[in-house]
Amino acid sequence: MMKLLLAFSTVLALAAAAPPALAVRPKPEKKSYDGYKVFRVTVGHEINKVNGIVSKLDLTTWKGAPRAGAYADIVVPPAQLDAFNTEIAGLETLTMHEDLGASIAEESSFSTYAAGSANATWFNSYHAYADHLQFLRDLQSSYPTQSEIVTAGNSLNGNPITGIHFWGTAGKNVKPAIVFHGTVHAREWISTMVVEYLGYNLLTNYASSAEIKGFVDKYDFFIFPAVNPDGFLYSQTNDRLWRKNRQSTSGSTCIGRDINRNWPYQWSVSGGASTSPCDQDFKGTAQSDAPETTALAAWLRTVKARQGLKLFIDYHAYSQLFMTPYGYSCTAVSTKNTELQALAKGAVAAIKASHGLTYKYGPICSTIYKATGSSVDYVNDVVGSDYTFTTELRDTGNSGFLLPAAQIVPSGEEAYAGLRYLLINMK
């Protein structure tokens, strides 16, 4: 009996000395959109009615709150379909996605990427985040003396904000910089592919095109396909329509900041972002309190101080727009506004000549909606880029965020046409 007591005491002592088990955070379940439908509703003068329906049924819209004279793209879960159809009677609607889950499944059928094969077939489909990183490495390894992999800091979860930097005959960091951002908003997958297309087109045609060689010899290019890596990863593994980063907020169970409402310029202006952590355009609790915003802002200031910043373009989707500062105000006017509008007009004409699609142009606030704490306003006024634009890529409502893979290459071609116009006509 004494031996048993001693053994039992030893077990208790060891248990007491052992470190407590680490709490395991449950893995978020994958969001299913099976049976969901997406409708485009013509708002017209029925703004109060449409907003009332969205609020009453607690529905999600894809392009911000419905606005008078515009359209509202509304996501409706199966349980709300009957109520929605009753409420919406009398308004003009079209169905964008008959079964959103099926559309997502079709889009997310990633092709297998073989390491070392950075060629044009990459643009035939969408890809997993890890493959995007490998594609950049493979592209860089094809031009080892003319390019390098760069990072602009780390995300909240420690993922490097990865890009590729390439240059011409003068060497690196001695010419003015051109910087492209993609996938600021995680669900905008076409922006990832288009930014990569621009880099691929410039690098792979450098030796064969005198015009492209002239562009790359004149400027250093910094291409960042996914500046919100945590959100992008989450959109691929858990929720295809995720927009924000993956940051928590004290006192709320809702996750994420909109890192394009978090830049430290005109952040406090009201009406251009949400103060609710549960909203898609949540601005954060303080300006630049998102690690991604802080890192990107610091990196851009460094580039500007080192070599100058000629052009910054922030690529988004969707709506087919080519926009200029400002987002924070519909009355403030950039000191370069006349020149910016002329360049934007020329760019959208070049885009239309490429594949026949019409893009609208103008200042952010009056062209799409008010947006405070945006990268474009910050880069224009604080960093001091010579030229600053943001574009909303395809389409205008048939597919929305789920643009078919067959449109990746045409989207890249027309984006390059717009960029080419800028490169030729910027002073």
Side-chain angles (χ1 to χ4, degrees):
M1 178 64 72
M2 182 61 68
K3 289 182 178 179
L4 286 173
L5 287 172
L6 286 171
F8 184 61
S9 298
T10 301
V11 170
L12 288 176
L14 289 171
L22 294 174
V24 178
R25 181 180 295 179
K27 184 177 181 180
E29 293 184 5
K30 186 166 186 176
K31 171 77 173 178
S32 173
Y33 289 96
D34 292 346
Y36 281 60
K37 295 181 184 295
V38 184
F39 298 96
R40 167 158 279 199
V41 178
T42 301
V43 176
H45 299 294
E46 299 286 353
I47 182 64
N48 292 332
K49 179 177 181 178
V50 175
N51 274 318
I53 294 168
V54 170
S55 177
K56 178 180 179 180
L57 300 181
D58 194 24
L59 301 177
T60 299
T61 59
W62 269 2
K63 296 300 291 181
R67 291 166 290 137
Y71 301 97
D73 295 344
I74 304 174
V75 182
V76 184
Q80 298 285 57
L81 283 170
D82 289 341
F84 177 81
N85 288 328
T86 299
E87 296 282 350
I88 213 73
L91 295 180
E92 181 182 345
T93 65
L94 63 84
T95 303
M96 293 170 63
H97 292 279
E98 186 66 36
D99 184 337
L100 186 55
S103 296
I104 290 171
E106 180 179 358
E107 179 203 41
S108 301
S109 300
F110 300 146
S111 62
T112 301
Y113 177 67
S117 59
N119 56 56
T121 61
W122 170 260
F123 300 101
N124 292 339
S125 72
Y126 294 99
H127 302 274
Y129 176 66
D131 285 346
H132 283 282
L133 298 180
Q134 187 60 49
F135 175 79
L136 290 181
R137 289 191 291 266
D138 291 343
L139 185 60
Q140 189 280 323
S141 67
S142 298
Y143 303 90
T145 63
Q146 192 185 353
S147 66
E148 63 183 356
I149 297 296
V150 292
T151 61
N154 293 327
S155 69
L156 176 74
N157 292 336
N159 291 301
I161 301 172
T162 305
I164 185 170
H165 168 209
F166 52 93
W167 54 87
T169 53
K172 65 179 182 179
N173 299 332
V174 295
K175 297 290 187 178
I178 289 178
V179 179
F180 303 144
H181 282 182
T183 330
V184 177
H185 295 138
R187 60 194 177 186
E188 297 168 10
W189 289 7
I190 185 61
S191 69
T192 325
M193 301 300 298
V194 163
V195 169
E196 288 171 344
Y197 181 92
L198 296 176
Y200 178 85
N201 187 52
L202 289 165
L203 258 178
T204 59
N205 289 300
Y206 176 82
S208 58
S209 167
E211 181 178 77
I212 286 178
K213 184 179 187 303
F215 296 154
V216 179
D217 284 349
K218 188 174 182 180
Y219 303 112
D220 275 24
F221 287 82
F222 295 87
I223 310 295
F224 290 93
V227 297
N228 178 11
D230 297 353
F232 188 37
L233 274 163
Y234 194 79
S235 76
Q236 295 193 333
T237 58
N238 293 85
D239 184 349
R240 173 61 186 88
L241 297 179
W242 188 259
R243 169 182 166 102
K244 301 181 283 183
N245 74 355
R246 294 295 300 160
Q247 193 168 353
S248 61
T249 298
S250 178
S252 175
T253 58
C254 293
I255 298 296
R257 280 154 175 67
D258 181 343
I259 63 174
N260 203 38
R261 301 294 184 275
N262 189 247
W263 290 73
Y265 181 66
Q266 303 294 350
W267 178 87
S268 298
V269 175
S270 63
S274 175
T275 58
S276 170
C278 298
D279 288 345
Q280 296 280 18
D281 59 346
F282 175 49
K283 66 195 297 184
T285 58
Q287 65 180 20
S288 202
D289 67 347
E292 296 85 356
T293 307
T294 300
L296 291 166
W299 185 87
L300 284 162
R301 293 194 305 270
T302 298
V303 169
K304 167 67 176 182
R306 183 181 66 211
Q307 62 197 101
L309 181 56
K310 175 59 66 173
L311 172 66
F312 172 81
I313 305 181
D314 196 358
Y315 286 89
H316 290 262
Y318 60 97
S319 287
Q320 293 174 201
L321 306 171
F322 201 94
M323 296 178 290
T324 64
Y326 292 107
Y328 78 88
S329 169
C330 289
T331 56
V333 178
S334 168
T335 57
K336 281 191 171 183
N337 187 61
T338 300
E339 186 180 5
L340 289 173
Q341 300 314 316
L343 286 170
K345 180 180 180 180
V348 301
I351 289 169
K352 186 167 187 176
S354 176
H355 285 283
L357 293 192
T358 298
Y359 279 55
K360 296 179 180 179
Y361 71 94
I364 295 167
C365 186
S366 57
T367 305
I368 185 168
Y369 43 57
K370 190 174 185 178
T372 51
S374 73
S375 64
V376 168
D377 290 355
Y378 178 86
V379 173
N380 189 78
D381 279 18
V382 180
V383 177
S385 176
D386 291 347
Y387 300 96
T388 308
F389 300 94
T390 184
T391 182
E392 297 276 351
L393 300 165
R394 297 185 182 196
D395 57 10
T396 55
N398 292 329
S399 300
F401 296 117
L402 306 177
L403 195 70
Q407 295 192 43
I408 293 172
V409 171
S411 295
E413 289 172 343
E414 64 197 16
Y416 180 74
L419 171 63
R420 176 180 178 270
Y421 181 87
L422 297 180
L423 294 175
I424 292 171
N425 290 282
M426 290 186 307
K427 295 178 181 176

